[in-house]
Amino acid sequence: MTSFESLANGRSGQADATYHPTTNDRQDKGAWHTCYVGLGSNLANDLGSPVEHLQQALAGLQGHNDICNVSISSFYASSPMGPQDQPDFVNAVAGFETRLTAFELLAFCQQLEQSAKRARLRRWGERSLDVDILLYGDLQMTETQLTIPHAGLFERNFVLIPLRELAPNLTIAGVSITDCPQSSDWTGLTRLSST
């Protein structure tokens, strides 16, 4: 088994991409939360292209035993938000249910980044994979390591447009996603594929 399969499975043993908790599992194993994460990449490496990095992260989410009902937005090309001397990004949003805590989910997102050999070269710079928790149920929190909803959510069309694609009736901290101006501003954004 590869280290990626172990990571996706959330424990040692064979990865099981077809596992979906039943109603009894949900009652016996605790609360499930609807979550959304942003995926982004603009740096190829020996593990793949930006699109492949997003696809591998999606496979990791789908294969984790404590994550189910994974859906993915279209992939989008976006102009870099930070320094402009870097390639355009490929972005998407994944939605799913999880019984991981917010901090367990954060740790898993960071493991996904590490599995793509993410290197932090500079702030808002190029990266092989970025996996950010956007929303975790109705939770609102501000901690040193984690802010939910994501601190830059309302300013980023490359997050809000794919999020609106997945959940057009979503309300974020009392605000309808359709009322967020960036959720309909296509400046610097191009749809690459639809799922």
Side-chain angles (χ1 to χ4, degrees), residues 150-173:
H150 189 281
L153 180 61
F154 291 108
E155 291 83 41
R156 298 177 179 176
N157 68 343
F158 59 87
V159 171
L160 285 174
I161 287 175
L163 181 57
R164 183 174 175 177
E165 176 189 333
L166 278 186
N169 299 314
L170 184 66
T171 299
I172 307 165

Side-chain angles (χ1 to χ4, degrees), residues 10-11 79 90 93 119 128 146 167-168:
R11 56 174 169 59
S79 302
V90 177
V93 168
S128 56
L146 182 61

Side-chain angles (χ1 to χ4, degrees), residues 24-131:
N24 289 337
D25 289 330
R26 289 169 191 248
Q27 292 169 349
D28 294 342
K29 294 185 180 176
W32 287 77
H33 304 275
T34 300
C35 297
Y36 296 93
V37 296
L39 306 171
S41 175
N42 73 337
L43 192 61
N45 61 22
D46 59 324
L47 297 176
S49 68
V51 167
E52 290 168 329
H53 290 310
L54 268 59
Q55 291 168 336
Q56 291 165 3
L58 178 61
L61 291 167
Q62 291 171 326
H64 197 291
N65 284 341
D66 293 316
I67 294 173
C68 69
N69 301 326
V70 179
S71 58
I72 187 76
S73 71
S74 302
F75 285 9
Y76 295 82
S78 65
S79 302
M81 191 172 104
Q84 297 299 298
D85 62 338
Q86 60 180 314
D88 284 352
F89 278 82
V90 177
N91 295 100
V93 168
F96 51 87
E97 293 178 65
T98 187
R99 59 186 169 191
L100 296 173
T101 67
F103 282 101
E104 289 171 339
L105 181 58
L106 174 64
F108 181 63
C109 291
Q110 291 171 340
Q111 288 176 332
L112 289 172
E113 292 175 344
Q114 291 168 3
S115 73
K117 294 186 179 178
R118 173 167 174 169
R120 298 178 191 271
L121 304 176
R122 54 184 171 163
R123 183 173 180 178
W124 291 333
E126 48 280 284
R127 75 265 334 249
S128 56
L129 183 62
D130 194 21
V131 184

Side-chain angles (χ1 to χ4, degrees), residues 13-31:
Q14 290 296 325
D16 181 7
T18 61
Y19 175 82
H20 293 284
T22 64
T23 302
N24 289 337
D25 289 330
R26 289 169 191 248
Q27 292 169 349
D28 294 342
K29 294 185 180 176

